[in-house]
Amino acid sequence: DVKVTQSSRYLVKRTGEKVFLECVQDMDHENMFWYRQDPGLGLRLIYFSYDVKMKEKGDIPEGYSVSREKKERFSLILESASTNQTSMYLCASSEPGQGSWGNQPQHFGDGTRLSIL
Amino acid sequence: SQQGEEDPQALSIQEGENATMNCSYKTSINNLQWYRQNSGRGLVHLILIRSNEREKHSGRLRVTLDTSKKSSSLLITASRAADTASYFCATDVPLINDYKLSFGAGTTVTVRA
């Protein structure tokens, strides 16, 4: 089974801090994703990556950056944490999409519940 | 913006009953996926249905897809307490080199013992 591991289940940080969320997958997947999940809003895509050292902005990239130095690891960085970034953060990985057949299933970690005080 | 929207937002049923939830989307798709999320956990992929398929089964799950109405439904038969979770539909959004998924806000299902 694919395993996606997020480094922390719960994290509390202060406003203005630089925050790192780490994600590691063990299935050699090319694609990795970072989402945030807020009540009533579903999952919103922050950033994603097709391959090592590649990154693409998702729907809500402001205030975030990412790093993918190795294929198995995808890090989300909050450059200067703010209270409106308090949320559940979910990492996922997948195989590449199959041409006109679209997406492959995504495999998710258990999430990091981040509180910014 | 979200491509898929689930209906209803919440559903409460007795153990042994069936649960049905619907997903509507706005633009044409290649496939549609359903995921389950238990409280405080990540999402788990349940089933993927392609645009040229009308129905798909997996154990007690039955998914239908009507591309003419841009809608899908997920049926859970003979529900159990362990089915208590939130259920999300997700549709593919084409990008230049690949696809991304667009998730709805989910249906929260509570199965009463």
Side-chain angles (χ1 to χ4, degrees), chain B residues 51-62:
Chain B
S51 58
N52 64 348
E53 297 174 311
R54 290 297 165 258
E55 189 170 310
K56 207 161 181 181
H57 297 255
S58 177
R60 293 183 296 110
L61 305 179
R62 175 180 164 244

Side-chain angles (χ1 to χ4, degrees), chain A residues 38-51:
Chain A
D38 300 287
L41 295 179
L43 274 71
R44 292 180 291 167
L45 182 62
I46 304 171
Y47 266 97
F48 57 103
S49 168
Y50 293 137
D51 203 347

